Amino acid sequence: MTLDRRQFVQGLAAGGALVAAARPAFAQTAPITLKWANNIPVTHPSNVRIREAVDAIKSETGGKVDIQVFPNNQLGGDTDMLSQVRSGAIDIFPLSGLILQTLVPVAGINGLAFAFKDYQTVWAAMDGDLGAHVRAAIGKVNLHVFDRCLDNGYRNITSSTRPINTAADLKGFKIRVPVSPLWTSMFKALEASPASINFSEVYSALQTKVVEGQENPLAVIDLAKLYEVQKFCSMTGHMWDGQWVLANGKRWASLPADIQAIITKHVTAAVLKQRDDIRRLNNGLEAQLKAKGLTFNYPDNKSFRDALSKAGFYKEWRGKFGDEAMGHLEKYSGKLV
Ligand code: X2X
């Protein structure tokens, strides 16, 4: 079979089009710079794994996508960064669902005290229908949210004045809580005296004794060096907290689909590794924190749960979150009363 010149040229053009289609569309797009900001020290797995993701994204896009990471509240505290990701001053920002609650009320639901008995249950719920329900609500406020959330951890109460053994020890206790209705309500129900303070101010608030204590997962207590300004750590494990990775909705929608796919793939991989890091960290940290001077105690959660029930805490939040959301949660937590 012979080709005439015309057919030959047509064939070349078609082949050329095929080659062009196989080349990623982003080859044609201008360089993209994105700002990623968070509240946590540079040594925390959330930052270590994100830096790896940033490198992988840069290399897979042939240098087209440059994500700049601003850790440790460099661009402001959480409340401020939330405004910035909404306005587009920051592009990507992981935030506790409980703090996001100021904007998306149902996002605080995973923080209901003593809801999750273990990590298996946490991930079943957050990667399952409970998380999907929350993400749908987040999508309505013009934020993009990645499917998997970061682990922050089970939270424990530290103090410079006294160990917290039972709910009675919290009476009048001046405790810092993040800026979130659920957090404030919980510690009010326990008759403590909660003060809403962004994480950026926590170390100094403890150091200057504006508050006696705070609550956080062991990884945060260690990496933010809170043990330097606290004496006791009470392993209350009173709630599980994680961070939704949020992006400015307009900015995200403006990115080519293949860039979105590459970013999503590497962010998801980073999140899964981060979860693993936190799990391993938390297993070894207690011994390290003891060596750094913290005295540990291991309260029974019954007095806290009873006090919360008696104060009507669960009833109040059931009303606020609504039956549908509570149905998703209680599939995993059992009835919270
Ligand atoms: O603000 C906190 O306590 C922290 C670091 O745990 C959160 O990100 C919610």
XYZ file of all heavy atoms in Angstrom, residues 39-41 44 73 78 94-99 152-153 155 176-179 183 197-200 202 214-217 220 224 226 241-243, ligand 1:
282
model
N -0.784 26.029 61.679
C -0.539 26.562 63.024
C 0.508 25.783 63.806
O 0.675 26.020 65.002
C -1.862 26.576 63.816
C -2.353 25.164 64.163
O -1.716 24.168 63.801
N -3.465 25.077 64.865
N 1.192 24.855 63.155
C 1.925 23.866 63.944
C 3.431 23.938 63.665
O 3.840 24.300 62.570
C 1.296 22.465 63.629
C 1.399 21.530 64.794
C 1.801 21.859 62.350
C 0.401 21.781 65.874
N 4.274 23.622 64.686
C 5.723 23.728 64.467
C 6.184 22.917 63.257
O 5.590 21.910 62.884
C 6.321 23.153 65.751
C 5.278 23.357 66.788
C 3.966 23.238 66.085
N 6.470 19.056 63.278
C 5.286 18.191 63.397
C 5.091 17.399 62.102
O 5.338 17.928 61.016
C 4.062 19.072 63.694
C 2.832 18.305 64.079
N 1.985 17.764 63.150
C 2.305 17.994 65.295
C 0.976 17.151 63.782
N 1.156 17.281 65.080
N 2.059 29.289 62.423
C 1.345 30.565 62.550
C 2.095 31.761 61.960
O 1.859 32.897 62.382
C 1.025 30.856 64.032
C 0.145 29.780 64.648
O -1.003 29.593 64.252
N 0.694 29.041 65.604
N -5.129 30.753 63.855
C -6.139 30.004 63.096
C -7.319 30.863 62.633
O -7.756 30.748 61.487
C -6.669 28.836 63.938
C -5.774 27.605 63.806
O -5.118 27.452 62.769
O -5.754 26.797 64.758
N -4.966 23.653 56.558
C -5.617 22.615 57.340
C -6.121 23.201 58.668
O -5.395 23.918 59.339
C -4.493 21.606 57.621
C -3.263 22.143 56.976
C -3.488 23.575 56.649
N -7.357 22.882 59.004
C -7.962 23.456 60.214
C -8.802 22.416 60.945
O -9.545 21.650 60.323
C -8.849 24.648 59.821
C -9.557 25.369 60.974
C -8.548 26.055 61.903
C -10.569 26.394 60.449
N -8.713 22.450 62.273
C -9.558 21.581 63.100
C -11.026 21.807 62.751
O -11.479 22.951 62.649
C -9.335 21.925 64.577
O -10.373 21.363 65.366
N -11.756 20.711 62.602
C -13.193 20.816 62.338
C -13.904 21.630 63.404
O -14.888 22.319 63.135
N -13.366 21.578 64.633
C -14.036 22.298 65.726
C -13.868 23.804 65.606
O -14.734 24.563 66.024
C -13.499 21.815 67.079
C -14.123 20.509 67.549
C -13.425 19.328 66.932
C -14.111 20.428 69.052
N -12.753 24.242 65.044
C -12.559 25.680 64.839
C -13.342 26.121 63.600
O -13.958 27.185 63.576
C -11.057 26.024 64.743
C -10.333 25.597 66.034
C -10.859 27.515 64.488
C -8.829 25.790 66.021
N -4.995 14.935 64.328
C -4.332 15.728 65.356
C -4.141 14.794 66.551
O -3.037 14.613 67.020
C -5.151 16.986 65.699
C -4.358 17.986 66.512
O -3.141 17.871 66.629
N -5.034 18.944 67.102
N -5.218 14.168 66.983
C -5.083 13.129 68.004
C -6.131 13.216 69.086
O -7.009 14.086 69.056
N -7.141 14.188 72.747
C -6.652 15.322 73.526
C -6.620 15.020 75.016
O -7.511 14.350 75.541
C -7.507 16.559 73.220
C -7.480 16.887 71.724
C -8.311 18.088 71.374
N -7.709 19.338 71.792
C -7.020 20.151 70.992
N -6.836 19.853 69.720
N -6.516 21.270 71.446
N -7.230 27.035 78.695
C -7.295 27.550 77.326
C -8.022 26.521 76.460
O -7.739 25.332 76.534
C -5.890 27.743 76.779
C -5.847 28.076 75.288
C -5.747 26.834 74.392
N -5.864 27.177 72.979
C -5.644 26.339 71.983
N -5.276 25.108 72.223
N -5.800 26.724 70.735
N -8.941 27.006 75.636
C -9.524 26.154 74.594
C -9.383 26.887 73.257
O -9.313 28.121 73.233
C -11.011 25.818 74.858
C -11.169 24.909 76.077
C -11.868 27.065 74.997
N -9.324 26.125 72.152
C -9.307 26.786 70.846
C -10.609 27.575 70.640
O -11.573 27.384 71.379
C -9.201 25.616 69.860
C -8.566 24.515 70.652
C -9.149 24.664 72.020
N -10.594 28.436 69.639
C -11.750 29.302 69.395
C -12.841 28.471 68.708
O -12.803 28.253 67.497
C -11.339 30.509 68.519
C -12.525 31.437 68.298
C -10.176 31.259 69.165
N -15.929 23.540 72.089
C -14.889 23.454 73.114
C -15.289 24.277 74.350
O -15.142 23.827 75.485
C -13.554 23.969 72.569
C -12.524 22.906 72.392
C -12.108 22.021 73.347
C -11.782 22.602 71.203
N -11.141 21.199 72.824
C -10.923 21.533 71.519
C -11.747 23.145 69.926
C -10.024 20.981 70.589
C -10.862 22.605 69.004
C -10.018 21.526 69.324
N -8.453 30.908 73.016
C -7.162 31.481 72.629
C -6.632 30.696 71.435
O -6.636 29.459 71.450
C -6.153 31.378 73.811
C -6.663 32.152 75.037
C -4.764 31.870 73.401
C -5.791 32.015 76.293
N -6.201 31.390 70.399
C -5.610 30.690 69.260
C -4.304 30.024 69.665
O -3.611 30.484 70.588
C -5.362 31.667 68.106
C -6.606 31.845 67.249
O -7.179 30.870 66.745
N -7.042 33.077 67.094
N -3.950 28.949 68.946
C -2.762 28.197 69.327
C -1.501 29.058 69.305
O -0.577 28.844 70.088
C -2.587 26.967 68.424
C -1.569 26.016 68.959
C -1.777 25.379 70.171
C -0.371 25.796 68.291
C -0.826 24.521 70.703
C 0.582 24.945 68.816
C 0.354 24.301 70.018
N -1.490 30.054 68.430
C -0.325 30.940 68.332
C 0.012 31.621 69.661
O 1.143 32.034 69.879
C -0.587 32.012 67.256
O -1.864 32.586 67.430
N -0.770 30.182 72.782
C -0.934 29.262 73.909
C 0.303 29.193 74.804
O 0.201 29.254 76.034
C -1.346 27.857 73.414
C -1.202 26.817 74.515
C -2.791 27.897 72.935
N -4.257 23.636 79.524
C -4.767 23.547 78.161
C -4.957 22.068 77.887
O -4.613 21.224 78.704
C -3.794 24.209 77.185
C -2.421 23.549 77.095
C -2.373 22.393 76.107
O -2.820 22.511 74.981
N -1.807 21.255 76.525
N -5.481 21.749 76.722
C -5.624 20.349 76.342
C -5.199 20.185 74.901
O -5.503 21.018 74.053
C -7.038 19.840 76.622
C -8.180 20.763 76.257
C -8.516 20.671 74.788
O -8.982 19.605 74.346
O -8.305 21.669 74.075
N -4.441 19.106 74.640
C -3.930 18.835 73.299
C -3.432 17.394 73.224
O -3.169 16.766 74.253
C -2.766 19.802 72.968
C -3.120 20.763 71.843
O -3.480 20.343 70.753
N -3.029 22.053 72.122
N -3.267 16.870 72.018
C -2.636 15.559 71.866
C -1.157 15.611 72.278
O -0.534 16.678 72.225
C -2.769 15.269 70.371
C -3.869 16.163 69.898
C -3.768 17.397 70.737
N 1.455 17.390 70.022
C 1.478 18.859 70.079
C 2.135 19.326 71.380
O 2.945 20.260 71.382
C 0.049 19.434 69.940
C 0.049 20.945 70.122
C -0.552 19.055 68.588
N 5.405 21.497 70.499
C 5.288 22.930 70.799
C 5.913 23.249 72.170
O 5.770 24.364 72.670
C 3.826 23.367 70.749
N 5.175 22.499 75.187
C 4.289 22.967 76.258
C 4.713 22.396 77.618
O 4.393 22.962 78.658
C 2.824 22.611 75.944
C 2.276 23.185 74.633
C 0.788 22.862 74.475
C 2.494 24.700 74.546
N -9.569 14.841 67.680
C -9.558 16.047 66.848
C -8.672 15.816 65.618
O -7.611 15.200 65.712
C -9.014 17.190 67.721
C -8.762 18.484 66.973
O -9.562 18.828 66.088
O -7.759 19.153 67.297
N -9.149 16.284 64.486
C -8.363 16.189 63.247
C -8.529 17.454 62.437
O -9.345 18.317 62.779
N -7.757 17.577 61.391
C -7.831 18.802 60.583
C -8.279 18.515 59.160
O -7.717 17.652 58.485
C -6.467 19.507 60.553
C -6.189 20.262 61.837
C -4.864 19.917 62.448
O -4.109 19.137 61.885
N -4.575 20.476 63.603
O -5.097 24.790 68.707
C -4.819 23.654 69.101
O -4.881 23.334 70.286
C -4.400 22.597 68.115
C -2.949 22.808 67.749
O -4.543 21.326 68.655
C -5.299 22.669 66.945
O -4.881 22.786 65.826
C -6.750 22.522 67.190
